[in-house]
Amino acid sequence: MAQHTIKDAFTERRLFFSRVVVLVVFIVLLFGILIVRLSHLQVVNYSHFTTLSQNNRVRLEALPPPRGLIYDRNGVILAENRPAYQLEITLEQVEDLQETLERLGRIVTLENSEIERFRRLLRRKRPFQAVPLKLNLSDEEVANFAVDRHRFPGVDIQARLARHYPMGEEMAHVVGYVGRIDERELARIDTRNYSGTSHIGKIGVERYYEDVLHGQVGYQRVEVNAQGRMLRILERQPPVAGRDIVLSLDVRLQAAARQALNGYTGAIVAMDPRTGEVLAMVSMPSFDPNLFVHGIPASIYNQLRDHRRQPLFNRALTGQYPPGSTLKPVVGLAGLEHNIITASRTMFAAGYYQLPGHDRRYRDWRRHGHGWVNLDKAIAQSSDVYFYDLGYRLGIDRMSEFLGLFGLGRVTGIDSTGERAGILPSREWKQGALGTVWYPGETIIAAIGQGYMLTTPLQLASVASTLAMRGIRIRPHLLRGIINSDSEELELVSPEYLSPVRVSHPQYWDQVLDPMVHVVHQPNGTAYNSTGRTAAYIIAGKTGTSQVFGLGQDEEYDESRIAKHLRDHALFIAYAPAEDPRIAIAVIVENGGSGSRTAAPIARMVMDHFLLEMGG
């Protein structure tokens, strides 16, 4: 008979119940862990994850501000913002990019550099974002594309504000230009305020007043989808436009100065000695600043950089030249102040000068000399021998110290970029710069503005201004005022007065300034025939000629036998009218030869335009 196992119902129920209890406890434990985790995410870290989710939905975009405008003193615009048309491609809407580029190249001119830049940008953008292919399309290119627009899905033309300089070459060195922000500039600017901005001032006024002209960036909060495409604008804070500025320059005088210097290489700086305002600043040759705004092609930049006349070089601020005889009135004033000479003291100025106990002859520009001369005749006829002797007795240290009172050897601090300080030689300077001692013969040639001495045209204009104002010194400046954004009124800047040049007796000024009038208006003055004989007003001036290379002991300078690039530089400083100075000017003509023959007539043309035609 078969045996059957009898089921134990009680044991089975107890086993089942224990399993259920374990399962319930496990489920409760899981729910507990889930609740704790949810509490941590939604309560403890609520702010953090809310921000993250908002960032997935809302994007902050920068709105670049319009750049401030630049005007001349009469309201003529020098730098403006113009709509510039650029060709853009949205990759996700283009079926075959290479074919599209090839077909576009038949309509608009595409440089290899533009295509390479486009491909670099493409890698950093999302497919739905437009990427610029060609900047600054011409009107003809815009028209050509508009006709075939329907054949290019994903390609469009967009208008952007771009800097433009209507005066072109006339104001390039003064106003400067803007260009694309580079890595060095990124390191020094506030990147938050330059969000969305691609250009920045590079040189000149554009760079010096960058903070005024740039403005404040704006922002807009936009809602985007999961792919980052904008759906709508949620909030907008408009940008604050840069402030407009007015310069002290006058485009009429600037044009007259350029015309006077036409054909020459050199610089002209004209300023109002009463205020320090720069009225004209010309460096020739020049360049078109508009070439740099959208990125200058390498071939064109290389032509400008390598040109023998260096059009990119701002001679007015950066050029350093021996001042020559233009400094003789200042050296004469130093001799009076230190009681080395009196105005009536005379000496016989032969055709050369020798230091006591030395054989070397320091020649005068006039072969047979000037005969008996006093300070007046020495300045009017520019006697080298008189100033050789004065310089020797004055000594380099006293001479250097006194010339330094006029600002030589230091930058003027004008509100621009690239200014150089020149060189004001002294014993200390030579020991520090060259590691050698100073020789008496170097004092001799320093007294006539040669040797180690170097000045800029701006410094010489400042010296002329200080002479005109009898020692009152005002820092040269280009900014006349800033236009108030609310009232549209011009807020003028005040002149910045510097340490004046003081002398012991006021008549010392007359004793060097009257001879400057004689330079131009007396028949034996160096600038009489070329400049003063037909002048309609009284000019006080001083001619100068500085050597490009040194001559040997027995050599003579013959301009007709010397290559043009080795000829002397021609200089002239002046102010007018002499009795009530309203303009001070400095002119330098590189390799121009004689200051009286070349530089002085150029200065006369500029002063004529200012005083007679403009009523300055």
Side-chain angles (χ1 to χ4, degrees), residues 88-94 100 130-131 145 149 152-156:
E88 297 181 348
I89 295 180
T90 305
L91 187 60
E92 71 173 10
Q93 300 175 15
V94 177
T100 299
V131 179
F145 178 78
R149 169 69 184 83
F152 293 94
V155 184
D156 207 351

Side-chain angles (χ1 to χ4, degrees), residues 226-441:
Q227 288 74 39
R229 190 187 304 279
M230 186 180 73
L231 301 176
R232 62 186 175 122
I233 298 175
L234 301 175
E235 182 183 348
R236 191 175 190 273
Q237 178 183 331
V240 178
R243 299 182 68 182
D244 300 340
I245 65 175
V246 176
L247 303 185
S248 57
L249 298 169
D250 191 308
V251 295
R252 298 171 298 174
L253 191 63
Q254 185 84 356
R258 281 179 55 84
Q259 184 176 358
L261 200 56
N262 188 36
Y264 290 108
T265 297
I268 298 175
V269 179
M271 56 188 291
D272 187 335
R274 302 165 298 181
T275 63
E277 291 182 343
V278 176
L279 303 172
M281 182 182 288
V282 170
S283 176
M284 293 282 280
S286 187
F287 63 95
D288 184 0
N290 294 297
L291 294 171
F292 289 83
V293 175
H294 300 286
I296 185 170
S299 58
I300 297 178
Y301 177 75
N302 291 338
Q303 290 176 14
L304 291 172
R305 182 195 60 193
D306 300 333
H307 196 286
R308 63 180 182 82
R309 295 179 66 198
Q310 297 180 286
L312 297 177
F313 183 59
N314 184 357
R315 290 166 168 81
L317 298 183
T318 310
Q320 298 183 111
Y321 308 90
S325 297
T326 59
L327 290 189
K328 285 178 179 175
V330 181
V331 176
L333 189 63
L336 293 171
E337 179 63 18
H338 286 285
N339 297 314
I340 303 298
I341 58 170
T342 63
S344 59
R345 170 189 172 270
T346 61
M347 68 169 286
F348 187 78
Y352 62 89
Y353 180 81
Q354 288 178 288
L355 288 169
H358 290 74
D359 295 331
R360 179 181 173 86
R361 294 182 175 184
Y362 296 88
R363 297 184 179 279
D364 195 285
W365 70 269
R366 181 180 287 179
R367 177 182 297 183
H368 301 295
H370 300 267
W372 289 98
V373 296
N374 57 13
L375 180 60
D376 187 309
K377 186 177 178 181
I379 293 176
Q381 297 186 16
S382 199
S383 169
D384 290 337
V385 168
Y386 182 94
F387 284 94
Y388 288 150
D389 181 68
L390 174 56
Y392 171 69
R393 296 196 291 137
L394 188 61
I396 187 59
D397 292 327
R398 287 191 294 190
M399 188 194 315
S400 179
E401 180 183 6
F402 195 82
L403 293 175
L405 299 178
F406 282 78
L408 297 177
R410 299 191 302 273
V411 295
T412 66
I414 192 172
D415 44 348
S416 188
T417 58
E419 183 185 11
R420 299 183 70 178
I423 295 177
L424 180 58
S426 65
R427 296 178 192 273
E428 182 181 359
W429 170 84
K430 189 181 180 187
Q431 187 63 49
L434 303 177
T436 58
V437 298
W438 186 267
Y439 297 103

Side-chain angles (χ1 to χ4, degrees), residues 476-494:
H477 60 95
L478 291 164
L479 181 69
R480 189 160 191 260
I482 301 176
I483 297 177
N484 188 294
S485 303
D486 298 322
S487 65
E488 298 296 322
E489 293 183 356
L490 180 63
E491 300 171 353
L492 295 173
V493 298
S494 300

Side-chain angles (χ1 to χ4, degrees), residues 71 80 82 88 128 196 212 315 338 419 449 461 468 518 522 566:
Y71 299 91
E80 62 183 346
R82 280 188 177 182
E88 297 181 348
F128 58 82
V212 177
R315 290 166 168 81
H338 286 285
E419 183 185 11
H518 300 158
Q522 276 192 354
L566 294 176

Side-chain angles (χ1 to χ4, degrees), residues 160-175:
R160 299 282 189 271
L161 285 179
R163 206 61 158 174
H164 180 257
Y165 303 99
M167 305 303 295
E169 293 186 4
E170 286 196 16
M171 293 288 182
H173 288 293
V174 188
V175 175

Side-chain angles (χ1 to χ4, degrees), residues 108-118 133-134 297 299:
V108 299
T109 303
L110 291 176
E111 301 287 344
N112 290 333
S113 58
E114 292 173 324
I115 296 176
E116 291 173 3
R117 181 179 55 81
F118 166 74
L133 171 63
K134 183 178 179 62
S299 58

